[in-house]
């Protein structure tokens, strides 16, 4: 009887110790025990003190050369571009995208000024690209760009629609 009683008491003590150590940090810098000597005080652990970390939610910026190459790859069969034209147009598009990024980041310009500057840049870019094309290709290029703009518009509308649907479903969910 005494052995059963002592075994029961030992098991109870182990479970209690495990529960308390898990609650108060267990030596791994978590739980309620943060900040008392180990984490630098104020409830911060080491992961907070390492400085800014890259968050997985922030999308990586795709290089402009890569984006320009993708656009030209889509354009190549429709406009019948040769390799020299592909290289030249890719360079023109990459330069244009860099310039557009600079214009968008310019904080001294108003929104209307930015739109005007981007439209002017678009016209200059189109003139540079059409300089590399023969007359038959220019028609195909204008048709491609019109189609490309429509594709971009429908994609952005789909994204907006998805956001609106998400917001509507969040509003209709009952509070738990």
């Amino acid at each position: 009887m005494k052995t059963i009683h002592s075994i029961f008491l030992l098991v109870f003590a182990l479970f209690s110790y495990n529960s308390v150590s898990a609650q108060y940090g267990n030596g791994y810098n978590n739980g309620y025990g943060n900040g008392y000597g180990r984490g630098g005080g104020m409830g911060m652990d080491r992961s907070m003190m390492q400085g800014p970390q890259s968050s997985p939610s922030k999308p990586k910026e795709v290089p402009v050369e890569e984006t320009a190459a993708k656009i030209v790859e889509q354009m190549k069969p429709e406009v019948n571009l040769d390799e020299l034209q592909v290289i030249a147009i890719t360079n023109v598009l990459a330069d244009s995208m860099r310039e557009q990024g600079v214009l968008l980041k310019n904080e001294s310009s108003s929104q209307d000024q930015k739109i005007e500057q981007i439209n002017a840049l678009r016209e200059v870019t189109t003139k540079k690209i059409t300089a590399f094309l023969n007359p038959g290709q220019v028609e195909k290029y204008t048709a491609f760009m019109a189609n490309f703009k429509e594709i971009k518009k429908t994609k952005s509308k789909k994204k907006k629609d998805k956001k609106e649907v998400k917001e509507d479903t969040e509003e209709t969910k009952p509070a738990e």
Side-chain angles (χ1 to χ4, degrees):
M1 178 79 172
K2 193 168 188 166
T3 57
I4 293 174
H5 184 37
S6 60
I7 290 174
F8 178 72
L9 189 59
L10 180 65
V11 169
F12 178 74
L14 285 174
F15 283 129
S16 296
Y17 175 75
N18 191 22
S19 173
V20 168
S21 66
Q23 192 173 17
Y24 285 100
N26 203 13
Y28 294 112
N29 233 5
N30 52 10
Y32 296 131
N34 286 349
Y36 295 111
R38 286 180 280 161
M42 304 299 262
M44 296 187 337
D45 62 3
R46 287 185 184 102
S47 65
M48 290 180 181
M49 292 175 26
Q50 291 176 350
Q53 296 176 349
S54 61
S55 62
S57 62
K58 183 178 178 183
K60 292 182 180 177
E61 289 188 29
V62 179
V64 292
E65 292 84 7
E66 199 173 306
T67 306
K70 286 180 183 178
I71 293 170
V72 174
E73 281 300 313
Q74 292 174 354
M75 187 189 307
K76 185 177 177 178
E78 292 188 33
V79 185
N80 299 328
L81 300 175
D82 62 22
E83 289 305 314
L84 187 60
Q85 289 173 322
V86 168
I87 294 169
I89 292 173
T90 302
N91 290 335
V92 169
L93 282 176
D95 291 341
S96 174
M97 288 179 191
R98 277 191 213 98
E99 184 67 28
Q100 186 176 0
V102 169
L103 291 175
L104 289 174
K105 291 178 183 175
N106 185 3
E107 295 177 7
S108 64
S109 300
S110 71
Q111 193 71 19
D112 294 334
Q113 289 174 330
K114 288 180 183 180
I115 291 171
E116 289 175 16
Q117 291 170 342
I118 288 174
N119 286 336
L121 177 66
R122 187 176 297 135
E123 289 177 17
V124 170
T125 303
T126 302
K127 287 179 184 176
K128 286 181 182 178
I129 290 174
T130 54
F132 294 114
L133 303 175
N134 61 40
Q137 288 176 319
V138 172
E139 293 175 18
K140 292 177 183 178
Y141 170 74
T142 53
F144 171 79
M145 289 310 289
N147 187 26
F148 190 72
K149 288 178 185 175
E150 288 299 317
I151 291 171
K152 286 177 82 173
K153 285 182 183 177
T154 56
K155 283 184 180 179
S156 66
K157 283 183 182 177
K158 286 181 184 178
K159 286 181 181 178
K160 287 180 184 176
D161 291 343
K162 284 181 182 180
K163 286 181 181 178
E164 289 174 4
V165 168
K166 281 185 179 180
E167 289 173 358
D168 291 342
T169 56
E170 287 175 359
E171 290 174 4
T172 58
K173 284 184 182 177
E176 293 181 19

